[in-house]
Amino acid sequence: MDALSIVGGGIAGLALAACLDTKRFQVTVHERREEPPSVETSLAMWPEAQRALGGVGILPAVRAAGSDFGGMALRDGSGAVLLKARAPGVIGVSRAELLRLLDAAVPDSVARAYGPVASLPRPGLVVGADGVHSIVRRSVWGGRSRARLSPYLALRGIINEPVPPGGGGEYWGRGQLFGITPASRGRTYWYASYRSGLGPGGIDVEEALALTRTRLSGRAAGIDRILTAATPGETLAQRVWTVPYPGSYQRDGAVLVGDAAHGMTPNLGRGACEALIDAVTLADLLNSRPVPEALRAYNRRRLLRSQALRVASSAMARLALAESAQPLRDELLRLAGRRGGKPGAG
């Protein structure tokens, strides 16, 4: 039986541990903490990610716990609709609930090791599922692979109110973005992003929330209602980090999955989805092929696609958070909305 160590007990790490053949691999998951996330947020599960969840065996439970995105409106900073789009089949699910379901799917035969990882566990294959600041990536791929700090601050949270009537969607202002989407149990998931000098570490959430209210309040009724209801204890505030192109996802007995491989800005809503697809793809290959062959096949299947999404997400961030080009951007979006059908109230 081959030893296999998964560094990181998040979405990618747990999904991989749930799918690996424990008759073929002696699996250990190294996790920093045992507790669920302290602040609840929501994730968009696109159809490809749902197929991966089906491979894990938890898709029905995720559907039962989640909410349908339905239609989405793209708005200017004042709330006027620029264009409308549908997201058919996309499910919004609580990150905490998804982690709970993934954790429950991990076989009892998988060993758990809690606490920070100071050095890579050996012997055997090491899987870096430990996020944008991955110790596996830094140890094997070197200093040039360190995460890069973007200029953006991101806030997100869930409030115990339904989406404001006519207020859902994404608001693109001058250098700032605000999103409002349905969350499970009739609640609302919100998120905001803009350039900020706060951080990168030790961000005071109350200060970040106050700054967000100063920047965005009074621009649109839907935003005002959300920011009035948001509290520091139910808000996550972080600087946005990304991961540079690593050249390959496998090297020297190690392989990368999830944010450790392709940490991206959140603007396409694909980070968690790609992490799930990574994990299920890698597990299927490891379960059916010799390890070296499986790693090469995983690299071929996942490298270019996930890196293309990383680049596209960064481009979307620049578009959504445009400053001097904001009037031209909005006019082009209005034109696209008119060609696609007359914008409504949203």
Side-chain angles (χ1 to χ4, degrees), residues 24-116:
R24 183 168 184 173
F25 296 100
Q26 184 178 352
V27 181
T28 302
V29 178
H30 297 260
E31 305 176 64
R32 183 176 291 273
R33 61 188 179 192
E34 299 182 54
E35 303 82 13
S38 58
V39 175
E40 192 173 5
T41 59
S42 188
L43 301 169
M45 294 288 104
W46 292 78
E48 282 182 304
Q50 291 178 46
R51 287 194 289 273
L53 290 168
V56 180
I58 62 171
L59 180 57
V62 170
R63 284 178 171 161
S67 59
D68 186 1
F69 263 43
M72 294 288 290
L74 180 58
R75 303 170 182 270
D76 65 17
S78 65
V81 175
L82 298 171
L83 57 85
K84 288 186 173 183
R86 290 196 60 80
V90 177
I91 300 170
V93 64
S94 158
R95 176 184 288 272
E97 181 66 13
L98 178 59
L99 287 170
R100 185 189 69 79
L101 292 169
L102 288 169
D103 187 74
V106 176
D108 292 339
S109 57
V110 171
R112 307 289 188 115
Y114 295 104

Side-chain angles (χ1 to χ4, degrees), residues 36 56 70 79 92-93 156 165 214 243 256 285 299 307 321:
V56 180
V93 64
R156 64 200 80 174
T214 299
V243 171
L256 302 174
L285 291 167
N299 199 57
Q307 288 297 318
L321 295 162

